[in-house]
Amino acid sequence: MAVAVERPANDELRNLSLSGHVGFDSLPDQLVNKSTSQGFCFNILCVGETGIGKSTLMDTLFNTKFESDPATHNEPGVRLKARSYELQESNVRLKLTIVDTVGFGDQINKDDSYKPIVEYIDTQFEAYLQEELKIKRSLFNYHDTRIHACLYFIAPTGHSLKSLDLVTMKKLDSKVNIIPIIAKADTIAKNELHKFKSKIMSELVSNGVQIYQFPTDEETVAEINATMSVHLPFAVVGSTEEVKIGNKMSKARQYPWGVVQVENENHCDFVKLREMLIRVNMEDLREQTHTRHYELYRRCKLEEMGFKDTDPDSKPFSLQETYEAKRNEFLGELQKKEEEMRQMFVMRVKEKEAELKEAEKDLHEKFDHLKRTHQEEKKKVDDKKKELEEELSNFQKKKAAAQLLQSQAQQAGSQQTKKDKDKKNFFFM
Amino acid sequence: MFKGSADNKIEAAMSELVPEPRQKPAVPMKPVGINSNLLGYIGIDTIIEQMRKKTMKTGFDFNIMVVGQSGLGKSTLVNTLFKSQVSRKSSGWNREEKIPKTVEIKAIGHVIEEGGVKMKLTVIDTPGFGDQINNENCWEPIEKYINEQYEKFLKEEVNIARKKRIPDTRVHCCLYFISPTGHSLRPLDLEFMKHLSKVVNIIPVIAKADTMTLEEKTEFKQRVRKELEVNGIEFYPQKEFDEDLEDKTENDKIRQESMPFAVVGSDKEYQVNGKRILGRKTPWGVIEVENLNHCEFALLRDFVIRTHLQDLKEVTHNIHYETYRAKRLNDNGGLPPVTAETEENHESNL
């Protein structure tokens, strides 16, 4: 049965005008409703030295006290600690995961400091990839653990980036959206801050570090994103303590010489960070992670395993063909291994048989030997017995002969002895 | 002091012996609920707006297929649904054309916009279905077409360098037109729906409902529902995919009372009570398409477009497509590089 399929090319798509209200303008709402009922995932990675204020900043950003004990400086290596929380605001449920780098920057030898971080990020990508490649998969309710934003905490030295910072950021920029921030910004004076920021940005550019670009393609957010980008890296101050300023309580740090207000844009860039990270670009951060960083990881991983989209003649390969080839290869290898094993088994059996045969032969020989020895012994004993018997018979003969002689002699001599005896007896009497 | 240094010595020696264990990447713990501790506004709920803006920018795809015998008003209904000339009726086909000898699949795409939302709508028509003398297996070309679209999507998904947005040509919704005989379903109807309800969302509609009175309509609908149930045909919204109680109650009401929708289509406007409305003019009155007393077109429209459009797409993607994909991969022994599973599958295939 022939099937004719007519489908116009994309550019032939006609734009039609509607003659009335159809109602599909509710589509975005339908989509959003579905996502709202499922809840959203957002995962932040905080990279920075111990004591630089990562936990405090998270507390300040999310207006909550996430319980955690401050880390010590004695960690032998960098390890990542992830904690998940469920936050709710109006009807939006957010599954927030905050990953902390414990022990970063504390070791004497920091060569490998970046490795656990890269490993963690890759592990989350790998988990997603595995789920995606499963036959029976459930992506729509998969708990996404991939890192959507990496806040890199720069120490407020006032000079420039540390080499550890550059190395780490360079290793992370192709894997995660990096947002650099200057921590504990209340230790830098305003004029120094400006110089510091420029130095940092120029160092990032000259070292080719790709930090996250706030999107400017959509009209509604382009303006605010462009304005905020100018202030990168954001110089933040975190605080969960509240101080009375004027007639209300606000988050601040109280010093003898004054009060640093966290939410005052003249004092620090905390508000800008919150705007950019949460209120404007949270969805874009998630999307970039999925469409850029994850796709890159996936591509590299699959290529690493030997899969290509096109063969050497650049004709498109289907993953299926590659797969079939690999599968046949694998099956062939399995068969070979099976053969090898079988052969080895046969050989071993033969060896064992030979051994056993040897042992049997030995045993037989021993037995024969013993038998012979036994027979010899027996013969010897028999010979001896014969000898003995002969001797005995000789002796008996001799005895018989002697007895005869004796009896003859006795008879002949008995008269004599009688006479002698009488004589003797006569004497004794 | 002495003791301390001895300990250190021992420790140092031990650390030399035991190689530094590889740090296992931490796995997030179970989430801790902290609703009560929120003080002040964070701004998490803005993600809804952010998401909405993004989706408006990318636009939506929607592919709807209409299946039924000639003359049941499929093209007219689709035009009425989308209030524009989207069906093949308007793309060069004329009524005098011969009915095709075999089932043909004709897909026509349009871009329509409303309220800032762009939709790429594709209407897939199936002329020739059920029109031959011998209609055996006439659903096969349709099933083949639907599976071809799944195959196309799968191929794209499996590529190493994938497109940012894979073009979606999969059939999200299939409107099956039932002839308003007033008796019961025809064997062809049952066969088609039995085969296809497993691969695509089927929404049965009773065509040309203006040929039945209200009582006849109610009875017919009941009989059709009964027959569908007896034959194990799960039409959209399928019972097994109800996500929560809310969905279930809402969908139960639709399944048990409204469906199948008895519709009338029209693209002509008439003046009724001073308003211009879509309708059909007959000697005995004007049948108003959007009047719920006259027919259930408005219910169908609201159901398909205004409330369940996204859900139709999601069921297609999360369930029908996944079923196809799983079957396809199983037939091939699995997709690498999940080594554990590959071995599993090899075992079963060897």
Side-chain angles (χ1 to χ4, degrees), chain A residues 67-138:
Chain A
E67 27 171 295
S68 54
D69 314 306
T72 65
H73 288 276
N74 299 332
E75 299 279 340
V78 179
R79 65 185 168 86
L80 279 88
K81 194 166 68 165
R83 288 196 136 100
S84 294
Y85 307 94
E86 260 197 44
L87 306 175
Q88 181 152 3
E89 208 168 62
S90 20
N91 59 342
V92 176
R93 274 184 308 120
L94 183 74
K95 291 188 206 105
L96 175 72
T97 303
I98 300 180
V99 186
D100 218 334
T101 50
V102 180
F104 189 76
D106 278 331
Q107 297 76 33
I108 294 176
N109 182 356
K110 296 180 253 213
D111 275 343
D112 294 340
S113 292
Y114 70 87
K115 286 197 185 141
I117 306 177
V118 170
E119 212 182 277
Y120 180 84
I121 297 176
D122 278 347
T123 310
Q124 309 318 308
F125 282 149
E126 185 64 30
Y128 190 88
L129 182 65
Q130 294 296 329
E131 182 65 32
E132 199 184 27
L133 289 173
K134 275 200 195 141
I135 293 190
K136 258 203 157 114
R137 59 187 190 179
S138 51

XYZ file of all heavy atoms in Angstrom, chain A residues 67-138:
587
model
N 21.883 25.058 58.420
C 22.760 24.642 59.512
C 24.004 23.968 58.968
O 23.930 23.103 58.127
C 22.009 23.669 60.397
C 21.014 23.014 59.547
C 20.263 21.875 60.103
O 20.893 20.857 60.387
O 19.050 22.040 60.204
N 25.126 24.396 59.414
C 26.378 23.724 59.063
C 27.429 24.216 60.034
O 27.406 25.351 60.469
C 26.795 24.054 57.631
O 26.843 25.429 57.458
N 28.363 23.314 60.350
C 29.443 23.727 61.248
C 30.539 24.329 60.411
O 30.860 23.816 59.348
C 29.988 22.519 62.011
C 28.859 21.676 62.563
O 28.005 22.254 63.261
O 28.831 20.470 62.261
N 31.152 25.368 60.897
C 32.256 25.978 60.143
C 33.389 24.959 60.017
O 33.664 24.203 60.945
C 32.697 27.168 60.983
C 31.779 27.236 62.142
C 30.868 26.082 62.142
N 34.032 24.942 58.861
C 35.080 23.956 58.624
C 36.371 24.398 59.272
O 36.601 25.584 59.485
C 35.279 23.778 57.121
N 37.227 23.401 59.517
C 38.541 23.727 60.074
C 39.521 23.908 58.929
O 39.206 23.640 57.769
C 39.046 22.583 60.957
O 39.255 21.443 60.105
C 38.024 22.228 62.021
N 40.744 24.363 59.295
C 41.734 24.558 58.244
C 42.614 23.343 58.061
O 43.594 23.398 57.343
C 42.616 25.769 58.596
C 41.902 27.073 58.457
N 41.794 27.732 57.268
C 41.244 27.820 59.379
C 41.107 28.854 57.453
N 40.750 28.929 58.726
N 42.244 22.236 58.737
C 43.167 21.108 58.737
C 42.797 20.013 57.771
O 43.255 18.900 57.894
C 43.236 20.496 60.146
C 43.746 21.499 61.138
O 44.493 22.399 60.772
N 43.329 21.362 62.382
N 41.951 20.302 56.817
C 41.544 19.254 55.895
C 42.736 18.812 55.060
O 43.480 19.634 54.555
C 40.442 19.779 54.967
C 39.187 20.221 55.692
C 38.301 19.060 56.037
O 38.460 18.007 55.399
O 37.459 19.191 56.935
N 42.898 17.501 54.894
C 44.032 17.004 54.112
C 43.883 17.275 52.617
O 44.852 17.295 51.887
C 44.035 15.494 54.389
C 42.653 15.186 54.810
C 42.112 16.395 55.485
N 42.668 17.431 52.165
C 42.465 17.676 50.735
C 41.139 18.387 50.562
O 40.424 18.640 51.519
N 40.847 18.695 49.336
C 39.570 19.359 49.071
C 38.494 18.304 48.956
O 38.653 17.312 48.265
C 39.645 20.156 47.755
C 38.308 20.813 47.475
C 40.750 21.176 47.822
N 37.406 18.506 49.690
C 36.285 17.615 49.446
C 35.011 18.432 49.310
O 34.924 19.555 49.784
C 36.153 16.564 50.543
C 35.815 17.102 51.883
C 35.833 16.007 52.946
N 35.782 16.648 54.241
C 34.666 17.001 54.846
N 33.497 16.752 54.276
N 34.692 17.593 56.018
N 34.052 17.851 48.622
C 32.823 18.591 48.365
C 31.714 18.088 49.251
O 31.491 16.905 49.374
C 32.440 18.451 46.898
C 33.228 19.415 46.031
C 34.521 18.795 45.599
C 32.433 19.852 44.849
N 31.019 19.015 49.850
C 29.935 18.670 50.747
C 28.656 19.252 50.152
O 28.561 20.449 49.926
C 30.203 19.267 52.127
C 29.318 18.705 53.218
C 29.850 19.077 54.576
C 29.718 20.569 54.791
N 29.896 20.929 56.206
N 27.706 18.386 49.869
C 26.464 18.869 49.261
C 25.328 18.730 50.236
O 25.185 17.724 50.903
C 26.165 18.064 47.998
N 24.500 19.768 50.305
C 23.322 19.709 51.169
C 22.117 20.169 50.354
O 22.209 21.145 49.629
C 23.496 20.663 52.338
C 24.511 20.207 53.348
C 24.324 21.002 54.623
N 24.401 20.138 55.785
C 25.475 20.024 56.534
N 26.542 20.698 56.243
N 25.472 19.232 57.586
N 21.002 19.479 50.527
C 19.803 19.856 49.773
C 18.735 20.397 50.688
O 18.578 19.939 51.809
C 19.233 18.634 49.053
O 20.122 18.216 48.077
N 17.996 21.380 50.181
C 16.929 21.984 50.979
C 15.720 22.196 50.079
O 15.843 22.369 48.884
C 17.369 23.350 51.516
C 18.683 23.305 52.246
C 19.866 23.583 51.588
C 18.740 22.952 53.595
C 21.070 23.527 52.256
C 19.948 22.899 54.256
C 21.108 23.184 53.583
O 22.303 23.121 54.241
N 14.545 22.207 50.708
C 13.342 22.523 49.946
C 12.816 23.847 50.422
O 12.460 23.978 51.579
C 12.290 21.426 50.142
C 12.269 20.477 48.982
C 11.005 19.643 48.919
O 9.907 20.205 49.120
O 11.151 18.447 48.696
N 12.784 24.815 49.506
C 12.252 26.125 49.879
C 10.953 26.353 49.148
O 10.766 25.869 48.046
C 13.251 27.226 49.474
C 14.681 27.087 49.982
C 15.542 28.169 49.388
C 14.707 27.184 51.486
N 10.084 27.113 49.744
C 8.836 27.409 49.059
C 8.493 28.884 49.171
O 8.585 29.466 50.240
C 7.707 26.575 49.660
C 6.396 26.831 48.962
C 5.481 25.629 49.015
O 5.803 24.626 49.622
N 4.351 25.752 48.370
N 8.119 29.451 48.056
C 7.685 30.847 48.051
C 6.451 30.922 47.179
O 6.477 30.464 46.034
C 8.797 31.725 47.466
C 8.771 33.136 47.987
C 10.030 33.884 47.623
O 10.265 34.052 46.435
O 10.757 34.293 48.546
N 5.373 31.490 47.670
C 4.017 31.428 47.070
C 3.769 29.980 46.630
O 3.833 29.092 47.451
C 3.819 32.408 45.921
O 4.990 32.854 45.346
N 3.580 29.709 45.355
C 3.296 28.316 45.003
C 4.477 27.643 44.323
O 4.335 26.602 43.686
C 2.071 28.265 44.083
C 2.322 29.079 42.819
O 3.221 29.908 42.787
N 1.543 28.846 41.780
N 5.649 28.264 44.471
C 6.816 27.710 43.818
C 7.640 26.914 44.819
O 8.017 27.429 45.867
C 7.692 28.846 43.241
C 8.965 28.279 42.655
C 6.914 29.618 42.212
N 7.901 25.646 44.437
C 8.742 24.840 45.316
C 10.108 24.722 44.668
O 10.207 24.338 43.507
C 8.132 23.447 45.482
C 7.122 23.371 46.573
C 6.608 21.960 46.784
N 6.135 21.361 45.568
C 6.646 20.246 45.059
N 7.641 19.637 45.665
N 6.176 19.749 43.942
N 11.149 25.045 45.424
C 12.487 24.977 44.872
C 13.293 23.939 45.638
O 13.351 23.980 46.866
C 13.167 26.352 44.995
C 14.570 26.423 44.384
C 14.456 26.434 42.872
C 15.281 27.676 44.835
N 13.892 22.998 44.875
C 14.790 22.046 45.532
C 16.185 22.620 45.356
O 16.764 22.544 44.279
C 14.687 20.671 44.849
C 13.374 19.990 45.077
C 13.412 18.562 44.546
C 12.027 18.101 44.195
N 11.683 18.025 42.802
N 16.690 23.218 46.389
C 17.981 23.896 46.308
C 19.073 22.997 46.862
O 18.912 22.405 47.933
C 17.901 25.200 47.133
C 19.194 26.000 47.264
C 19.514 26.667 45.941
C 19.039 27.048 48.343
N 20.157 22.867 46.118
C 21.299 22.113 46.622
C 22.495 23.034 46.645
O 22.809 23.664 45.637
C 21.605 20.915 45.711
O 20.449 20.104 45.628
C 22.745 20.097 46.263
N 23.131 23.137 47.794
C 24.322 23.974 47.906
C 25.520 23.061 48.109
O 25.534 22.232 49.027
C 24.192 24.959 49.087
C 22.981 25.857 48.846
C 25.448 25.799 49.200
C 22.757 26.849 49.940
N 26.489 23.170 47.219
C 27.685 22.332 47.320
C 28.837 23.208 47.764
O 29.103 24.241 47.171
C 28.011 21.712 45.947
C 29.158 20.740 46.085
C 26.797 21.026 45.380
N 29.492 22.777 48.810
C 30.572 23.566 49.381
C 31.914 22.887 49.131
O 31.994 21.661 49.152
C 30.342 23.653 50.892
C 30.711 24.994 51.437
O 31.565 25.659 50.814
O 30.158 25.371 52.463
N 32.968 23.681 48.897
C 34.299 23.084 48.763
C 34.992 23.239 50.109
O 35.448 24.314 50.475
C 35.126 23.808 47.708
O 35.075 25.215 47.974
C 34.572 23.558 46.324
N 35.059 22.118 50.828
C 35.651 22.174 52.151
C 37.151 21.970 52.039
O 37.611 21.033 51.407
C 35.042 21.061 53.034
C 35.646 21.100 54.418
C 33.543 21.220 53.098
N 37.889 22.863 52.609
C 39.328 22.681 52.606
C 40.034 23.296 51.417
O 41.233 23.117 51.242
N 39.298 24.021 50.610
C 39.917 24.637 49.431
C 40.914 25.679 49.873
O 40.609 26.548 50.677
C 38.820 25.256 48.566
C 39.294 25.727 47.232
C 39.552 24.819 46.210
C 39.480 27.073 46.978
C 39.972 25.247 44.965
C 39.894 27.503 45.732
C 40.147 26.602 44.731
N 42.130 25.622 49.343
C 43.119 26.642 49.643
C 43.869 26.480 50.944
O 44.671 27.328 51.303
N 43.608 25.378 51.648
C 44.253 25.224 52.950
C 45.537 24.419 52.885
O 46.362 24.493 53.775
C 43.303 24.518 53.934
C 42.328 25.505 54.545
O 42.696 26.684 54.660
O 41.216 25.093 54.900
N 45.673 23.620 51.840
C 46.825 22.721 51.815
C 48.080 23.496 51.465
O 48.038 24.573 50.889
C 46.615 21.609 50.790
C 45.448 20.698 51.079
C 44.129 21.350 50.762
O 44.041 22.157 49.835
N 43.122 21.047 51.533
N 49.214 22.893 51.779
C 50.470 23.522 51.407
C 50.688 23.330 49.913
O 51.051 24.248 49.199
C 51.628 22.914 52.229
C 51.415 23.282 53.700
C 52.968 23.412 51.731
C 52.420 22.689 54.637
N 50.390 22.116 49.436
C 50.506 21.853 48.004
C 49.110 21.825 47.399
O 48.327 20.933 47.655
C 51.197 20.505 47.776
C 51.374 20.238 46.300
O 50.921 21.018 45.458
N 52.025 19.145 45.980
N 48.813 22.871 46.611
C 47.450 22.995 46.074
C 47.330 22.547 44.625
O 46.381 22.894 43.950
C 46.987 24.457 46.196
C 46.881 24.878 47.660
C 46.421 26.309 47.792
C 47.600 27.127 48.214
N 47.344 28.242 49.051
N 48.319 21.776 44.143
C 48.290 21.366 42.733
C 47.005 20.679 42.350
O 46.493 20.859 41.265
C 49.440 20.377 42.472
C 50.725 21.111 42.175
O 50.648 22.315 41.866
O 51.774 20.480 42.235
N 46.517 19.817 43.250
C 45.355 19.000 42.886
C 44.058 19.542 43.428
O 43.061 18.851 43.410
C 45.545 17.580 43.418
C 46.697 16.887 42.726
O 47.060 17.345 41.626
O 47.217 15.908 43.286
N 44.077 20.776 43.931
C 42.872 21.284 44.579
C 41.665 21.289 43.676
O 40.557 21.060 44.115
C 43.112 22.707 45.090
O 44.032 22.701 46.134
N 41.897 21.583 42.376
C 40.739 21.710 41.490
C 40.134 20.355 41.150
O 38.987 20.267 40.750
C 41.137 22.427 40.199
C 42.026 21.599 39.313
C 41.490 20.705 38.391
C 43.402 21.687 39.408
C 42.304 19.931 37.596
C 44.228 20.912 38.618
C 43.670 20.032 37.715
O 44.477 19.271 36.931
N 40.916 19.291 41.311
C 40.458 17.982 40.823
C 39.157 17.488 41.444
O 38.264 17.066 40.714
C 41.558 16.936 41.007
C 42.670 17.114 40.017
C 43.551 15.885 39.909
C 44.724 16.187 38.994
N 45.972 15.615 39.447
N 39.006 17.509 42.772
C 37.734 17.015 43.319
C 36.542 17.810 42.818
O 35.447 17.267 42.644
C 37.898 17.187 44.832
C 39.352 17.265 45.058
C 39.941 17.899 43.847
N 36.760 19.099 42.550
C 35.641 19.915 42.082
C 35.226 19.471 40.683
O 34.044 19.238 40.411
C 36.037 21.413 42.066
C 36.566 21.839 43.424
C 34.845 22.250 41.672
C 37.042 23.260 43.476
N 36.215 19.356 39.806
C 35.907 18.928 38.428
C 35.270 17.547 38.435
O 34.307 17.272 37.719
C 37.200 18.931 37.585
C 36.952 18.268 36.258
C 37.683 20.344 37.361
N 35.796 16.692 39.314
C 35.255 15.334 39.397
C 33.791 15.354 39.815
O 32.964 14.623 39.268
C 36.070 14.565 40.426
C 36.210 13.102 40.144
C 36.997 12.420 41.237
O 38.229 12.482 41.149
O 36.367 11.873 42.159
N 33.457 16.204 40.783
C 32.076 16.267 41.252
C 31.152 16.703 40.131
O 30.113 16.102 39.880
C 31.958 17.236 42.430
C 30.550 17.337 42.967
C 30.078 16.411 43.892
C 29.688 18.326 42.539
C 28.794 16.477 44.372
C 28.394 18.402 43.004
C 27.949 17.470 43.922
O 26.658 17.535 44.378
N 31.564 17.768 39.437
C 30.716 18.271 38.351
C 30.521 17.187 37.296
O 29.406 16.951 36.810
C 31.342 19.537 37.734
C 31.412 20.642 38.784
C 30.545 20.004 36.536
C 32.095 21.887 38.314
N 31.623 16.521 36.931
C 31.521 15.476 35.914
C 30.639 14.329 36.374
O 29.910 13.739 35.587
C 32.923 14.931 35.593
C 33.657 15.828 34.611
O 32.990 16.707 34.015
O 34.862 15.652 34.437
N 30.715 14.010 37.659
C 29.885 12.913 38.165
C 28.404 13.225 37.980
O 27.622 12.355 37.609
C 30.169 12.671 39.648
O 31.567 12.576 39.833
C 29.512 11.394 40.138
N 28.015 14.475 38.232
C 26.601 14.821 38.072
C 26.194 14.727 36.612
O 25.102 14.254 36.291
C 26.323 16.232 38.598
C 26.833 16.511 39.992
C 26.587 15.363 40.943
O 25.485 14.864 41.079
N 27.635 14.922 41.611
N 27.077 15.197 35.699
C 26.783 15.080 34.272
C 26.654 13.620 33.891
O 25.774 13.220 33.130
C 27.906 15.713 33.435
C 27.858 17.214 33.357
C 29.020 17.953 33.240
C 26.651 17.894 33.398
C 28.980 19.331 33.164
C 26.593 19.271 33.327
C 27.773 19.989 33.217
N 27.574 12.812 34.417
C 27.580 11.386 34.076
C 26.288 10.732 34.524
O 25.709 9.932 33.801
C 28.785 10.725 34.748
C 28.973 9.269 34.380
C 29.267 9.065 32.912
O 29.865 9.967 32.304
O 28.889 8.017 32.383
N 25.832 11.087 35.727
C 24.586 10.499 36.227
C 23.437 10.821 35.289
O 22.616 9.967 34.962
C 24.289 11.019 37.635
N 23.385 12.055 34.821
C 22.310 12.448 33.914
C 22.443 11.702 32.592
O 21.462 11.217 32.036
C 22.365 13.967 33.667
C 21.153 14.496 32.947
C 20.019 14.905 33.647
C 21.124 14.577 31.564
C 18.903 15.375 32.991
C 20.002 15.047 30.900
C 18.900 15.451 31.615
O 17.790 15.906 30.963
N 23.685 11.598 32.105
C 23.912 10.913 30.833
C 23.484 9.459 30.924
O 22.856 8.918 30.023
C 25.395 11.014 30.450
C 25.782 10.380 29.123
C 25.108 11.110 27.986
C 27.290 10.415 28.933
N 23.841 8.820 32.045
C 23.453 7.423 32.225
C 21.944 7.273 32.186
O 21.410 6.365 31.577
C 23.979 6.887 33.556
C 25.480 6.791 33.647
C 26.047 5.815 32.666
O 25.408 4.831 32.310
N 27.243 6.066 32.198
N 21.270 8.199 32.860
C 19.810 8.117 32.875
C 19.268 8.290 31.460
O 18.357 7.586 31.039
C 19.240 9.209 33.784
C 17.718 9.194 33.915
C 17.173 7.957 34.582
O 17.871 7.412 35.461
O 16.064 7.520 34.242
N 19.877 9.213 30.716
C 19.395 9.499 29.380
C 19.613 8.328 28.443
O 18.874 8.147 27.486
C 20.141 10.728 28.828
C 19.428 11.393 27.678
C 20.221 12.529 27.087
O 21.461 12.523 27.171
O 19.597 13.419 26.522
N 20.637 7.524 28.728
C 20.947 6.424 27.826
C 20.248 5.136 28.198
O 20.321 4.163 27.472
C 22.459 6.181 27.805
C 23.250 7.274 27.107
C 24.723 7.020 27.286
C 22.928 7.306 25.630
N 19.578 5.135 29.322
C 18.893 3.922 29.739
C 17.814 3.580 28.735
O 17.324 4.428 28.008
C 18.206 4.155 31.089
C 19.101 3.943 32.270
C 18.240 3.702 33.497
C 19.083 3.853 34.736
N 18.366 4.509 35.797
N 17.414 2.320 28.719
C 16.307 1.942 27.846
C 15.003 2.388 28.482
O 14.196 3.084 27.888
C 16.302 0.434 27.609
C 17.545 0.069 26.811
C 15.065 0.026 26.841
C 17.566 -1.331 26.312
N 14.824 1.987 29.732
C 13.623 2.468 30.431
C 14.053 3.651 31.270
O 14.695 3.485 32.292
C 13.114 1.354 31.342
C 11.936 0.633 30.788
C 11.148 -0.029 31.888
C 9.734 -0.237 31.406
N 9.277 -1.481 31.239
N 13.727 4.833 30.843
C 14.213 5.979 31.588
C 13.054 6.856 32.026
O 11.966 6.771 31.492
C 15.168 6.794 30.708
C 14.495 7.281 29.458
C 15.457 7.927 28.508
N 14.713 8.575 27.448
C 15.264 9.251 26.469
N 16.561 9.368 26.413
N 14.526 9.801 25.538
N 13.289 7.686 33.003
C 12.241 8.611 33.429
C 12.883 9.960 33.620
O 13.210 10.355 34.734
C 11.584 8.128 34.705
O 12.561 7.821 35.677
